[in-house]
Amino acid sequence: MRRLRCVLEKNTLVSVTCRTVQGRFLFRPCCEVNDVLVGILGRAQRLYPIPVCAVSVMSNHLHLLLIADDPQQIARFMQYLSSNIAREVNRLTGWSGPVFHDRYSMIVVTREEAAQVERLKYLLAQGCKENLVDRVQDWPGVSSTGAFLEGKPLIGHWIDRTGEYAARRHGKKPDPSRFATEETLVLAPLPCWRHLSSEVYRERIVELVDQIERECSAERKRTGARPLGPRAILAQHPHHRPEAVAKSPAPLVHAATQTARRAFQEAYAWFVAAFRAAAERLRQGDRSAVFPAGSFPPALPFVPG
């Protein structure tokens, strides 16, 4: 049974993950893929406003840290994002068929500073901890690291494929620049660090990156492993299917303490019971059934006019 998605409070930090089908390297970094992915992210944020704290796109999965008021806000954003990414990735890589393995995973992060910082550190560490690159900034794919450390805006392009198609139908050879719109992904601070100035925020990120690189360097010395390197990453074929895909069970919540984890578990148990009771009333024809706050109620049944 799929886990119910809930956002029990406004301005809640959530961790979102999307994985490619069979773990294939369909998001393998290259200039075109990076540009289009950022363009779609920026356009999705503009059309379905939601604060994005961090992004990390690896070859076979992507991570986002979002601040949401309710799960429907996330669903609208992610539906637009995933459908457009799938079409563009198929176009750019020559892949035919589903791009994503399943629905996106959404996990609430508690309001604890330690929990939120740990999730940000996890996203920043993706390339290093997987032993793909030596330094955090060496990852050649889409990442918010450059925006954090160097102040570089995350800018990509949205391609108007409808306009391109119409031009071809009229016998014209479409000019790519004519149908490309620049889009910018705007990054928001972590809720726990919202009070910090931009200079102090950047210093905190620098400290996290230094910590990540020290830990990964120590682990490589211990194991004798060597990072794959950007050149080898770029040389991989996007249709490649790894022999094994590392995936651990998703937790119910990202928390720093047992107290916070237990409090969320109790609140979630109440939420599930209330949701199921309301869903049962709706199935029995009671349209006045009230679903708990922070839920994603099912659509009402169709009634012909």
Side-chain angles (χ1 to χ4, degrees):
M1 181 181 294
R2 285 174 172 170
R3 184 183 297 172
L4 291 177
R5 292 172 179 164
C6 71
V7 176
L8 300 177
E9 299 177 286
K10 292 185 180 297
N11 296 313
T12 294
L13 186 68
V14 296
S15 176
V16 173
T17 303
C18 298
R19 301 184 183 278
T20 61
V21 62
Q22 300 170 340
R24 295 182 187 270
F25 294 162
L26 297 173
F27 300 155
R28 184 214 61 185
C30 72
C31 292
E32 284 185 307
V33 170
N34 292 352
D35 183 65
V36 166
L37 288 179
V38 175
I40 296 172
L41 279 162
R43 188 175 180 87
Q45 185 186 51
R46 182 165 60 81
L47 296 178
Y48 303 94
I50 190 168
V52 179
C53 295
V55 56
S56 177
V57 182
M58 308 305 289
S59 294
N60 60 4
H61 64 281
L62 67 86
H63 293 288
L64 292 165
L65 277 181
L66 309 175
I67 302 175
D69 292 333
D70 59 70
Q72 288 179 317
Q73 182 187 20
I74 301 171
R76 288 190 291 267
F77 175 82
M78 290 303 301
Q79 181 182 27
Y80 184 89
L81 181 70
S82 58
S83 61
N84 282 276
I85 285 178
R87 283 193 289 270
E88 289 299 326
V89 164
N90 276 340
R91 183 185 300 272
L92 292 172
T93 65
W95 178 252
S96 178
V99 167
F100 293 101
H101 167 69
D102 202 351
R103 302 194 311 167
Y104 63 90
S105 165
M106 187 203 86
I107 303 174
V108 168
V109 184
T110 64
R111 296 189 181 275
E112 302 164 289
E113 180 177 357
Q116 296 188 7
V117 173
E118 181 58 34
R119 291 320 295 172
L120 177 59
K121 180 183 175 183
Y122 178 81
L123 262 70
L124 294 173
Q126 285 294 294
C128 279
K129 79 177 186 64
E130 298 297 336
N131 215 26
L132 299 173
V133 292
D134 186 45
R135 298 170 59 249
V136 169
Q137 286 184 274
D138 289 343
W139 175 249
V142 176
S143 171
S144 46
T145 304
F148 288 142
L149 298 184
E150 301 172 14
K152 294 180 179 177
L154 282 169
I155 298 175
H157 289 86
W158 163 262
I159 311 299
D160 180 7
R161 300 300 183 189
T162 303
E164 281 189 346
Y165 175 74
R168 290 193 185 94
R169 288 202 61 180
H170 285 84
K172 300 177 182 178
K173 184 178 181 181
D175 178 5
S177 62
R178 180 185 169 191
F179 299 99
T181 303
E182 188 174 275
E183 299 282 358
T184 302
L185 178 64
V186 180
L187 295 177
L190 287 177
C192 67
W193 284 354
R194 190 174 293 158
H195 63 287
L196 301 178
S197 67
S198 56
E199 292 78 12
V200 175
Y201 196 91
R202 180 184 176 279
E203 290 173 2
R204 298 282 181 92
I205 299 296
V206 170
E207 291 172 2
L208 283 179
V209 169
D210 289 343
Q211 184 180 351
I212 290 166
E213 292 178 351
R214 288 196 304 271
E215 292 173 354
C216 292
S217 177
E219 181 64 15
R220 283 194 293 270
K221 287 180 180 178
R222 186 185 69 83
T223 62
R226 300 187 63 179
L228 187 61
R231 183 175 297 180
I233 293 167
L234 296 173
Q236 293 172 325
H237 196 282
H239 296 182
H240 173 72
R241 179 181 181 181
E243 294 182 3
V245 179
K247 186 179 179 182
S248 56
L252 179 63
V253 63
H254 291 300
T257 63
Q258 188 62 34
T259 301
R261 184 174 293 105
R262 190 178 298 112
F264 184 88
Q265 290 170 344
E266 292 173 356
Y268 184 76
W270 172 89
F271 170 87
V272 171
F275 186 97
R276 289 178 176 168
E280 181 59 31
R281 289 180 61 186
L282 183 63
R283 276 194 294 268
Q284 294 175 2
D286 182 2
R287 293 197 176 189
S288 64
V290 178
F291 285 83
S295 66
F296 197 156
L300 290 174
F302 172 75
V303 177

